[in-house]
Amino acid sequence: MDYTILVGGAAGQGIETVVLLLEKTIKRSGYEVFTYKNYMSMVRGGHNFMQVRFSDEPVYTYSSKLDMIFALTEETIDYHGDRLKENGVIIADDEIFPDMDICHLPLAKASRDSGNQKTFPTVGFGAIVKIFGMDIGIAEQVVKENFSGKILEVNLNALKWGYSLVDERQKLPGKKDERIIINGNQALALGAIAAGVKFYCGYPMTPSTSVMSYISSKASEMGIVVDQIEDEVGALNMALGAAYAGVRAMTGSSGGGFALMCEAMSLAGILETPVVIVNAQRPGPATGLSTRTEQGDLRFVIHAGHGEFPKMVIALRNPEDAFYQTARAFNIAEKYQIPVVLMTEEYLTDYMITTEPFDFNKVTIERHITDPADLPEGRYKRYMYTDSGVSPRLIPGRSGDKTVLVDSHEHNEFGNIDESVETRVNMMKKRMRKLESIKEDLQEPCYFGVEHPEELMVAFGATWGALKEAVEELNRSGEKAGALVYGDIWPFPTKLLNSFGKKAGNIITVEQNFTGQLESLIKEHTDLRISGNIRKYDGRAINGEEIVQSYYNLKAKKL
């Protein structure tokens, strides 16, 4: 089984409420859930929709084909009616397109009869529960957890009204519910908390805001300082101050906000102060499509900051990956005293997916802070020349009789300003030696597919889910396909890419930007020949079905 329900209408009509109730009810019935969110950057009006896909097998992305449309507006049917499967059903109020073949229900009247006409979405939810044969008891419990007081009573009435309006068409037997449901930003924030973050600051900017919101919701419980400040310039500078003072610090933004952080990114480079930064990508330039998705910041993030200094960039592939990689990012930042950028996308930040519960025992906290007693007698060299490029790090106020000096100007080993040629050359070499050291901790891209792929697809970040389903479908159809999906993407790992790429018949890059930024990295760092590419840059996430179709289109042109 594999069903997709689309709920569409205008902002403010309760789309998210219906979907929240639906995904919780389906998940608690023991099924795998994937919820895709597509919304405009306006508080009310416009056309928004969300899709809930569910199955008894794992699902990793959304589907373009629909089994049901719950239309809150006529526009919803105009936009999505042609995506309905042959036996699919549209449910809508009896005032919407009354002359069309739609399952018309007296939703507005039922909501008024239930005691509050704003319960219109819950009436529809009740109808969907009945049509798919879900357990009404689970649905009632979910409603009780999401409403309270008088609103709870009218919503329970609305649920029952909706349930009574239709007949059962499917039967979903209940199964054991052992998985969690979570989105990328929640998982990322949870990873930061597990890693011991004690300071988060930022300025709200879609789609990064919910990282700050989630950490803030746990701040009192976990002893975390969260500060919403005036802009992103201050955000990274404050995070650096907190890290200098010895706590694990983090900030995050999107697009233009991340651009404002670039000067402070350089400051982190010359101070050699560890910090973790989130860039939740959205389509630019400038405000672009502020509530939609893209992978257009790859080159920008890799090169962010003026001057040359080492940094690491990790592209997050899914919520589970977001949890563990965020925790790892803090250890990497402190081990090498560098900024680590977690690069995610609106698609990943917003979609909800069922996944295995995270194992907090797998998270280790490695501070890499030097004990003053381990240092030689004499003046402390904050920027001591070492073979690895990493100098002993003391925390001011906890450094015994040692004085910690840092400076944004070029400096000598002690931290004093020094513009001499010898110091400049030696300090540049010291900092850049870290890049060689970091390579020891780099993780190669993950691989899935047949053992010896003829068709090798290469991608990064949240394209992981769509590619996983695409590769499975291609191999079921007789192709010999495999995929490498990058997580650690800077410094750029090439071992697995060279290994698979030199044996594959064709290499196809799959990415969501116009210019092929990943493809350019591959050409820059390997001598592999790219046979073709699949690119999408309309602000909407690519899914497995689109990749499969694009692959066959390329094949028809003989790649």
Side-chain angles (χ1 to χ4, degrees):
M1 59 162 279
D2 191 341
Y3 297 115
T4 295
I5 301 170
L6 181 145
V7 183
Q13 280 193 304
I15 296 170
E16 289 204 39
T17 300
V18 178
V19 169
L20 174 70
L21 299 175
L22 262 179
E23 62 189 11
K24 282 189 174 181
T25 301
I26 296 169
K27 184 260 174 189
R28 292 184 189 183
S29 300
Y31 294 91
E32 306 281 344
V33 178
F34 186 99
T35 302
Y36 173 52
K37 191 174 183 180
N38 191 310
Y39 60 106
M40 300 180 71
S41 55
M42 55 179 65
V43 178
R44 296 190 70 85
H47 174 67
N48 298 340
F49 68 92
M50 296 175 70
Q51 295 183 196
V52 183
R53 181 183 174 194
F54 55 102
S55 172
D56 49 4
E57 298 289 335
V59 286
Y60 304 108
T61 186
Y62 73 98
S63 173
S64 300
K65 300 165 187 169
L66 306 175
D67 295 277
M68 173 181 283
I69 296 173
F70 176 22
L72 298 173
T73 60
E74 294 180 355
E75 204 175 29
T76 302
I77 300 171
D78 289 338
Y79 280 125
H80 307 288
D82 61 351
R83 295 167 54 200
L84 199 64
K85 293 179 183 174
E86 187 175 349
N87 297 320
V89 59
I90 299 173
I91 62 172
D93 186 65
D94 48 15
E95 294 180 0
I96 293 180
F97 289 141
D99 56 339
M100 286 182 64
D101 183 18
I102 294 173
C103 179
H104 286 109
L105 302 174
L107 298 175
K109 180 179 182 303
S111 62
R112 287 193 296 272
D113 292 346
S114 71
N116 188 325
Q117 62 182 13
K118 291 183 179 178
T119 59
F120 186 107
T122 311
V123 176
F125 166 63
I128 297 171
V129 167
K130 181 69 171 291
I131 289 171
F132 281 94
M134 302 177 207
D135 187 334
I136 182 70
I138 295 176
E140 285 178 337
Q141 182 59 35
V142 170
V143 169
K144 289 176 183 175
E145 292 170 9
N146 285 277
F147 300 98
S148 60
K150 294 181 180 177
I151 298 298
L152 168 61
E153 195 59 34
V154 294
N155 274 283
L156 284 172
N157 290 337
L159 169 67
K160 292 170 186 170
W161 266 110
Y163 195 80
S164 68
L165 291 176
V166 293
D167 295 326
E168 191 173 288
R169 298 191 181 191
Q170 312 283 343
K171 186 65 183 176
L172 292 184
K175 298 167 61 179
K176 199 171 181 179
D177 172 29
E178 295 180 330
R179 291 161 76 83
I180 61 171
I181 186 164
I182 195 166
N183 68 33
N185 271 4
Q186 292 169 340
L188 190 160
L190 205 54
I193 293 170
V197 68
K198 292 300 174 192
F199 182 78
Y200 186 99
C201 62
Y203 183 78
M205 189 169 187
T206 303
S208 67
T209 308
S210 53
V211 175
M212 183 163 62
S213 302
Y214 188 89
I215 294 178
S216 178
S217 71
K218 308 295 180 188
S220 298
E221 183 183 353
M222 302 305 297
I224 304 169
V225 173
V226 178
D227 194 0
Q228 178 184 321
I229 61 171
E230 73 280 7
D231 58 36
E232 292 84 352
V233 176
L236 183 47
N237 280 302
M238 284 185 72
L240 288 174
Y244 173 68
V247 299
R248 288 200 150 179
M250 184 179 188
T251 184
S253 191
S254 309
F258 183 79
L260 290 175
M261 293 181 179
C262 287
E263 184 183 16
M265 180 82 79
S266 288
L267 181 62
I270 199 164
L271 294 181
E272 301 186 48
T273 298
V275 68
V276 177
I277 307 160
V278 179
N279 178 36
Q281 296 173 93
R282 66 189 207 184
T287 305
L289 299 170
S290 57
T291 58
R292 301 192 184 277
T293 199
E294 200 167 84
Q295 295 181 315
D297 291 353
L298 175 58
R299 280 287 193 179
F300 171 50
V301 170
I302 286 173
H303 300 298
H306 56 286
E308 298 171 298
F309 59 94
K311 70 168 78 70
M312 184 168 176
V313 181
I314 303 173
L316 304 179
R317 290 175 282 223
N318 54 55
E320 181 183 26
D321 192 53
F323 173 78
Y324 292 110
Q325 292 297 342
T326 300
R328 172 174 168 254
F330 281 93
N331 291 339
I332 295 283
E334 292 206 297
K335 182 175 181 180
Y336 297 105
Q337 300 171 20
I338 56 169
V340 175
V341 182
L342 296 170
M343 195 168 58
T344 181
E345 303 142 40
E346 182 277 331
Y347 173 61
L348 171 58
T349 66
D350 278 335
Y351 78 65
M352 300 288 292
I353 191 170
T354 43
T355 187
E356 291 295 326
F358 303 144
D359 186 353
F360 284 71
N361 291 321
K362 291 182 179 177
V363 174
T364 59
I365 298 177
E366 302 160 9
R367 296 302 313 271
H368 301 284
I369 295 172
T370 306
D371 186 334
D374 294 336
L375 292 174
E377 292 293 325
R379 194 176 169 195
Y380 167 54
K381 292 181 177 179
R382 171 64 186 93
Y383 299 109
M384 180 188 293
Y385 300 135
T386 62
D387 292 340
S388 66
V390 179
S391 307
R393 178 182 174 221
L394 296 183
I395 303 303
R398 286 184 279 158
S399 55
D401 61 352
K402 309 293 185 186
T403 301
V404 181
L405 290 181
V406 298
D407 202 292
S408 64
H409 291 74
E410 190 57 278
H411 43 247
N412 59 25
E413 290 181 279
F414 299 107
N416 298 116
I417 296 174
D418 188 336
E419 296 188 8
S420 68
V421 171
E422 181 183 9
T423 294
R424 171 63 177 177
V425 171
N426 286 336
M427 203 53 72
M428 281 297 296
K429 287 181 177 177
K430 179 195 105 68
R431 288 193 290 264
M432 299 308 281
R433 272 199 296 275
K434 294 181 187 179
L435 282 173
E436 291 304 311
S437 305
I438 291 168
K439 289 178 182 176
E440 297 173 8
D441 276 306
L442 280 182
Q443 295 180 354
E444 292 288 328
C446 67
Y447 176 79
F448 47 82
V450 299
E451 189 173 354
H452 302 292
E454 280 292 316
E455 318 295 340
L456 178 66
M457 298 190 181
V458 188
F460 70 98
T463 310
W464 175 86
L467 256 182
K468 188 163 181 60
E469 293 199 1
V471 166
E472 289 174 357
E473 174 60 29
L474 288 172
N475 288 334
R476 278 194 296 268
S477 303
E479 305 289 335
K480 293 182 178 178
L484 285 170
V485 183
Y486 276 86
D488 288 4
I489 200 162
W490 190 260
F492 190 61
T494 57
K495 183 179 175 183
L496 268 188
L497 179 59
N498 276 317
S499 175
F500 280 101
K502 289 180 178 176
K503 298 173 186 171
N506 293 302
I507 300 175
I508 301 167
T509 54
V510 182
E511 51 190 320
Q512 295 203 147
N513 55 62
F514 183 87
T515 56
Q517 297 183 31
L518 173 64
E519 185 173 325
S520 72
L521 273 183
I522 295 172
K523 290 177 177 175
E524 186 177 317
H525 292 274
T526 74
D527 57 1
L528 297 171
R529 189 184 75 83
I530 306 299
S531 306
N533 58 66
I534 297 170
R535 298 175 189 168
K536 185 175 180 181
Y537 39 84
D538 61 4
R540 280 71 176 170
I542 197 167
N543 66 16
E545 295 152 1
E546 290 172 313
I547 293 174
V548 169
Q549 185 58 54
S550 296
Y551 166 77
Y552 284 121
N553 291 343
L554 283 173
K555 194 173 181 180
K557 297 176 183 175
K558 299 183 179 178
L559 289 172

